[in-house]
Amino acid sequence: MTTLTKPIATADYDAVHEAAKAYVDGYRTGDITGIERGFHENSIMWGHVGDDLLKGAAIPAFAGFFEAYGASPDLRSRIDVLAIAPTAAVVRVDLENNITKTNFTDYLSLLKIDGQWKIIAKVFQAYAQ
């Protein structure tokens, strides 16, 4: 008889979702600590806003955005775990109605580092509302 082992614990799905949720909650409240909970300290992000390509370190970019614009209390979101392996995951986050009236599709790459799921990269597309 073949014995099958479940490769990914449900707790890992929950932890990946929670890292993405920390990002969304931080964005909604304009609180950099939420971003820091979800993102690795060396995380990066790349994406297009109109014709402009934005790229760089994620946490400082969010800190600057929050300083300039503040919270996005009316932000709506959907988080979908697209793929998960023992130490890597991909999540899609749909965001609508941020404080600048911009919508986003984000793809987050996560790694399990020292037992914690952290966002290491964000690739995004911005849309006018």
Side-chain angles (χ1 to χ4, degrees):
M1 174 176 203
T2 302
T3 302
L4 300 176
T5 304
K6 185 176 183 233
I8 309 299
T10 301
D12 279 316
Y13 283 93
D14 294 343
V16 165
H17 189 274
E18 281 303 310
K21 187 176 180 311
Y23 155 55
V24 171
D25 290 346
Y27 199 116
R28 184 177 285 119
T29 62
D31 183 2
I32 197 65
T33 59
I35 301 299
E36 292 170 335
R37 274 195 320 275
F39 280 78
H40 186 274
E41 63 186 15
N42 296 320
S43 59
I44 59 168
M45 61 183 198
W46 286 68
H48 284 96
V49 176
D51 292 333
D52 296 328
L53 175 63
L54 303 180
K55 59 185 175 185
I59 293 174
F62 282 112
F65 181 86
F66 296 157
E67 186 175 312
Y69 299 103
S72 294
D74 297 325
L75 187 73
R76 294 185 41 87
S77 64
R78 177 177 172 99
I79 298 170
D80 296 304
V81 177
L82 301 179
I84 188 168
T87 60
V90 177
V91 174
R92 179 183 54 229
V93 179
D94 234 23
L95 298 173
E96 294 177 347
N97 200 34
N98 83 350
I99 195 69
T100 65
K101 303 300 180 208
T102 306
N103 300 322
F104 291 90
T105 299
D106 297 339
Y107 294 95
L108 308 177
S109 296
L110 294 88
L111 282 179
K112 192 174 191 180
I113 302 170
D114 297 326
Q116 270 196 313
W117 286 97
K118 290 290 188 174
I119 301 163
I120 59 156
K122 170 184 158 175
V123 176
F124 66 91
Q125 174 66 59
Y127 309 95
Q129 195 173 42

